[in-house]
Amino acid sequence: MKKRGASLARETLFSVQDLHVTTETREILHGVSVEVKAGETVVLLGPNGAGKSTLASAVMGAPGLKVTSGKMMFDGTDITEMPVDERARAGIFMAWQAPVEIPGVNVSEVLLAVGECVPGYRQLLATYTKTLELSPFILQRELNVGLSGGEKKKLEILQMMALAPKLAILDETDSGLDVDAARTVSRAVRDYQKEQGTALLIVTHNARILQELTVDKVYVLVDGKVAKTGDGKLIEKIEKDGFSGMKLVMEDTSEEEG
Amino acid sequence: MKRGLTKELVLELSQRKKDPQWMRNLRLRALEIYQELPLPSYGPDLSGLDIDNIATYVEPKTAMVESWEEVPAEIRNTFEKLGIPQAEREGLAGVGAQYDSELVYHNIKQQIAAAGVVYLPMEEAVKSQQMIKVNGKKQRIATVVRSHFMKLVPPADHKFAALHAAVWSGGSFVYVPEKVAVEIPLQSYFRFNAPAAGQFEHTLIIVEEDADLHFIEGCSAPRYNVANLHAGCVELYVGKNARLKYSTVESWSKNMYNLNTKRVTVAAGGRVEWVTGSFGSCVSMLYPMSILAGEGARAEYTGVTFAGEGQTLDTGLKIVHAAPKTCSFVDARSLAKDGGSCTYRSKVKILKGAKGAKSFADCKSLMLDNKSRSDTVPLVEVSEPSAEVGHEAAVGKIGEREVYYLMSRGLSEIQARALIVRGFTDDVSKELPVEYAMEMNNLITMEMEGNT
């Protein structure tokens, strides 16, 4: 049986070290370093086009992205060249910003194909479905087909809960969720993290998903570089002042980085 | 020395079958037609078929291999993967008549016989003196066979229909009396122990008024024949307000030319549902035809075709709307992989006077790589202005985003692709009894693994 979630010991679970990532046409990340300890909640903020989603995708090993230098370590293993499915099986999960519709395939099929038969698995799924205020029939529906934006995002979180990763990347899970749904998801993620000790790397624009969570660390990404790091208070500051001036800050005090 | 089909050979076959006079005459007449007709002028290349030596495809001895060891390893592995017991495997692979399914079959036969349903080997039906009521008239089965056999599909239909009529062997006769609904699907599976079954077999089904039947032809296990030509014939008669569901899951060995002819005529208010899964063979030409003869008759077609390396599968359908308010719905899916080629070929004909007829076709193709090929050749002929006809076609490739999404959940690339493909064919699986659906899914998974 798989050990669900991570241990509570606060040791480094995941780190990105001086990562340079290019698409086919240009470099998006110009040397980014990020660290996530076991069970931590780390938030990635930044203006549009800063490279937040690129970083999330690179962690998951998305095709079309190339790591030209730097590395990614997970649970003591260099995963920079690891195929996406192996990363997933090692314990990394990503909740997609735009979940993909797959006709004719339902959620249970996917989860069963991954195939860890934890006792009481179905019961567990039913409970999580309820926690997220999703219809119990959603497990039998075609994957993301004909679902509302909110349902899709919740379904991503349901998959996270079912797969019990050590590290979950939530890529703008809160965009497309209304206020109530965002609260529901935020609570569900909080309770799940408490129960399983899952480390979270959260990419967000509107911080709604953070309302019930305790943030340990914040990275601000500007133009493909870390412009600032701080604790949870940094979020309030940015909500008040915006990202303006961040790039200058970085240029002036580049030793702050990392 | 060339070995064409001779009168002597046909007569010898007829004698061995102890055919009645009319059947012998039919065979001989069909032989003449066969000699005269050219090969089809459209569709896949049949030049690999040794037409000059057609007799070698026909001689029953060559239709069987002598022992399990002679069956190619590829086929034997497939049986193992499908989890079919050894005894059945040999029977299905065409090794002698070692699979005796008579026991299983016997119980089913008793159940349905009580309701007046007849399910006989074709050869027996040709001679049976049992009385049945067809179209309100009591008559012998032998007489019914005579008035229906090769009537929907006349030998002159095309060269392989003529060949079939001349050398047919094996197959089933099914009769469902008025108002009888057969609860369990009847499966031709039970008949694989007949020599040369699955090569030139003839299926004749009569479903009387208000009756209901689901017939399943074939089996997902690949049948291996040394003689690699299949030219079967299926003739179906659906009575008033009756329903017939005709399902086929076939998986031929990859040296097979599968040139099968299927046709149904549907009376007023009746309904035919074709469900087909076509796998295997090197060349297939399959276009089940529905003649909607009575007012409000309905045809549905749900099919999936999977062409892999070296395969050309030309499949589709024909529908004739010959009466008012007839309707037809088509959901055709095809998959091509490793250079395989799929063609969807259809002809929908709406005759003058078929007022308010409706036909809608949706055909989707999925190409799993850049080497493979998919074509759509839909033909529509409408002679009735009040008819409504719709056709949608889409050819796509398996989406890398979909594959990546599933892999990000921990599925391997093969698992992810197989799941997407199974999803694509889900409409067909849903129509099949669960064990067939599972076997079809296994087949898809095997085809997907095949060359990866």
Side-chain angles (χ1 to χ4, degrees):
Chain A
M1 191 180 123
K2 177 171 163 184
K3 185 182 162 203
R4 295 181 68 83
S7 70
L8 284 172
R10 292 285 169 119
E11 53 205 32
T12 300
L13 173 70
F14 171 70
S15 65
V16 170
Q17 297 164 21
D18 192 28
L19 200 70
H20 290 253
V21 174
T22 59
T23 62
E24 271 168 26
T25 49
R26 64 194 181 95
E27 188 173 276
I28 306 286
L29 300 180
H30 318 291
V32 171
S33 299
V34 166
E35 189 190 60
V36 181
K37 293 197 165 95
E40 257 187 353
T41 301
V42 175
V43 174
L44 214 51
L45 295 175
N48 290 328
K52 303 185 299 291
S53 285
T54 301
L55 179 58
S57 301
V59 176
M60 205 64 232
L65 293 179
K66 206 173 155 217
V67 175
T68 47
S69 73
K71 63 175 179 176
M72 292 182 275
M73 298 291 294
F74 178 74
D75 224 3
T77 310
D78 186 340
I79 60 158
T80 317
E81 299 295 326
M82 198 185 255
V84 50
D85 52 329
E86 285 176 34
R87 293 185 201 205
R89 289 196 293 273
I92 304 178
F93 177 90
M94 183 168 80
W96 285 46
Q97 188 180 345
V100 181
E101 298 187 3
I102 307 183
V105 174
N106 63 44
V107 189
S108 350
E109 268 180 289
V110 176
L111 298 178
L112 288 174
V114 180
E116 301 263 359
C117 290
V118 180
Y121 189 63
R122 278 171 197 282
Q123 184 55 45
L124 203 62
L125 273 183
T127 311
Y128 292 145
T129 308
K130 214 168 152 186
T131 309
L132 288 165
E133 295 172 7
L134 279 166
S135 147
F137 302 111
I138 201 144
L139 296 172
Q140 309 312 326
R141 298 253 322 244
E142 292 177 78
L143 197 50
N144 296 319
V145 178
L147 299 185
S148 72
E151 285 173 315
K152 283 182 191 173
K153 293 301 184 74
K154 284 181 172 181
L155 193 56
E156 292 290 297
I157 298 302
L158 181 70
Q159 291 177 64
M160 174 195 85
M161 291 167 142
L163 294 169
K166 291 177 190 158
L167 171 69
I169 306 154
L170 311 187
D171 189 6
E172 301 209 10
T173 298
D174 45 9
S175 61
L177 288 179
D178 61 38
V179 182
D180 294 333
R183 187 176 299 117
T184 306
V185 169
S186 186
R187 275 189 193 141
V189 171
R190 177 196 65 198
D191 294 347
Y192 184 79
Q193 186 183 32
K194 211 174 272 176
E195 184 187 309
Q196 298 292 337
T198 315
L200 300 170
L201 179 59
I202 301 176
V203 177
T204 179
H205 258 302
N206 60 29
R208 268 183 193 161
I209 192 152
L210 305 175
Q211 56 190 305
E212 303 286 342
L213 300 174
T214 310
V215 175
D216 295 297
K217 205 177 338 171
V218 177
Y219 289 85
V220 180
L221 218 58
V222 178
D223 289 341
K225 287 191 171 189
V226 175
K228 203 167 176 62
T229 59
D231 57 18
K233 289 185 198 116
L234 185 55
I235 298 169
E236 286 164 41
K237 189 170 175 294
I238 287 169
E239 281 188 329
K240 209 169 80 206
D241 305 338
F243 296 111
S244 52
M246 284 281 183
K247 196 176 175 201
L248 276 176
V249 171
M250 182 199 72
E251 279 165 0
D252 289 345
T253 59
S254 52
E255 68 277 6
E256 250 184 58
E257 191 183 309
Chain B
M1 196 184 82
K2 290 191 172 174
R3 310 221 33 226
L5 198 56
T6 60
K7 198 174 164 183
E8 288 67 42
L9 196 73
V10 171
L11 275 174
E12 191 197 312
L13 178 74
S14 180
Q15 216 137 40
R16 204 169 45 237
K17 298 269 175 202
K18 300 193 176 67
D19 278 342
Q21 186 65 38
W22 72 267
M23 183 60 84
R24 189 173 316 146
N25 292 344
L26 174 68
R27 287 185 191 273
L28 291 173
R29 207 173 64 241
L31 172 65
E32 281 172 24
I33 296 169
Y34 169 76
Q35 314 282 27
E36 281 162 24
L37 287 176
L39 284 170
S41 56
Y42 64 94
D45 179 17
L46 296 176
S47 60
L49 200 58
D50 192 358
I51 216 87
D52 289 336
N53 290 306
I54 199 84
T56 55
Y57 295 96
V58 174
E59 285 164 346
K61 231 170 55 188
T62 60
M64 296 277 168
V65 287
E66 294 296 322
S67 72
W68 180 241
E69 282 64 40
E70 284 175 49
V71 177
E74 177 197 319
I75 304 270
R76 280 187 278 168
N77 288 341
T78 308
F79 282 115
E80 269 148 41
K81 284 190 190 166
L82 287 173
I84 292 167
Q86 181 67 25
E88 287 181 45
R89 286 179 200 171
E90 298 198 357
L92 294 168
V95 183
Q98 297 174 23
Y99 173 41
D100 185 3
S101 57
E102 202 50 41
L103 259 177
V104 189
Y105 172 58
H106 187 71
N107 291 335
I108 290 162
K109 203 160 112 181
Q110 283 201 323
Q111 274 180 39
I112 59 171
V117 176
V118 176
Y119 185 18
L120 287 175
M122 204 61 227
E123 278 90 346
E124 270 181 47
V126 170
K127 291 159 220 156
S128 171
Q129 297 301 304
Q130 190 187 332
M131 299 297 282
I132 52 174
K133 204 165 131 192
V134 173
N135 286 330
K137 213 170 109 193
K138 276 209 151 190
Q139 37 194 325
R140 292 191 166 81
I141 290 175
T143 314
V144 173
V145 171
R146 187 174 177 175
S147 58
H148 289 77
F149 191 91
M150 295 309 287
K151 289 293 194 283
L152 255 185
V153 180
D157 209 65
H158 57 87
K159 194 172 182 72
F160 295 98
L163 176 67
H164 171 87
V167 302
W168 76 270
S169 176
S172 313
F173 172 81
V174 183
Y175 162 78
V176 185
E178 208 178 290
K179 296 194 173 75
V180 171
V182 182
E183 304 286 338
I184 46 158
L186 286 189
Q187 315 187 29
S188 68
Y189 193 128
F190 301 137
R191 291 219 173 281
F192 272 159
N193 49 357
Q199 207 194 346
F200 297 107
E201 84 285 4
H202 195 96
T203 308
L204 177 56
I205 299 180
I206 298 173
V207 184
E208 287 279 284
E209 210 171 313
D210 292 313
D212 191 314
L213 173 70
H214 182 186
F215 189 83
I216 302 175
E217 172 193 51
C219 156
S220 57
R223 296 189 245 170
Y224 180 72
N225 284 11
V226 178
N228 54 2
L229 168 63
H230 175 229
C233 182
V234 175
E235 294 180 290
L236 312 170
Y237 295 84
V238 178
K240 265 192 203 164
N241 301 318
R243 183 192 84 130
L244 171 62
K245 181 168 176 174
Y246 195 91
S247 302
T248 311
V249 177
E250 50 192 347
S251 174
W252 299 94
S253 54
K254 296 200 173 152
N255 63 344
M256 179 64 82
Y257 283 82
N258 185 23
L259 312 170
N260 218 10
T261 310
K262 300 178 182 180
R263 200 160 294 173
V264 66
T265 174
V266 188
R271 172 185 185 137
V272 66
E273 296 167 31
W274 300 99
V275 180
T276 77
S278 301
F279 297 83
S281 82
C282 65
V283 171
S284 277
M285 292 176 80
L286 284 177
Y287 325 99
M289 177 174 182
S290 308
I291 302 165
L292 302 176
E295 183 165 341
R298 178 187 174 102
E300 285 175 29
Y301 173 95
T302 313
V304 59
T305 298
F306 195 129
E309 190 179 357
Q311 292 181 267
T312 304
L313 304 189
D314 205 272
T315 60
L317 51 106
K318 287 184 206 162
I319 299 167
V320 179
H321 290 256
K325 294 181 186 157
T326 46
C327 52
S328 58
F329 298 95
V330 175
D331 182 356
R333 309 276 165 127
S334 67
L335 292 145
K337 180 175 179 276
D338 296 320
S341 164
C342 272
T343 300
Y344 168 78
R345 196 182 295 277
S346 71
K347 190 171 186 177
V348 174
K349 217 168 159 171
I350 301 193
L351 304 185
K352 190 150 179 54
K355 290 193 192 316
K358 275 184 203 157
S359 173
F360 185 75
D362 182 8
C363 69
K364 292 196 178 81
S365 315
L366 194 60
M367 280 181 288
L368 304 180
D369 51 49
N370 293 324
K371 301 187 282 183
S372 306
R373 209 191 138 99
S374 179
D375 295 288
T376 308
V377 192
L379 222 70
V380 182
E381 259 181 59
V382 184
S383 313
E384 171 54 52
S386 66
E388 273 177 60
V389 180
H391 179 90
E392 270 180 31
V395 177
K397 281 193 188 153
I398 200 158
E400 291 312 310
R401 261 174 69 79
E402 283 85 347
V403 174
Y404 172 58
Y405 182 84
L406 292 177
M407 286 177 75
S408 80
R409 299 302 182 236
L411 274 71
S412 70
E413 186 173 344
I414 290 173
Q415 280 180 311
R417 286 178 182 272
L419 204 57
I420 291 168
V421 167
R422 286 215 300 265
F424 179 74
T425 57
D426 189 48
D427 284 6
V428 179
S429 317
K430 274 195 303 226
E431 291 296 322
L432 293 168
V434 66
E435 67 273 24
Y436 280 82
M438 276 168 60
E439 285 184 7
M440 198 175 89
N441 283 343
N442 287 344
L443 276 171
I444 290 169
T445 307
M446 270 179 343
E447 292 285 351
M448 295 298 295
E449 284 170 354
N451 296 289
T452 317

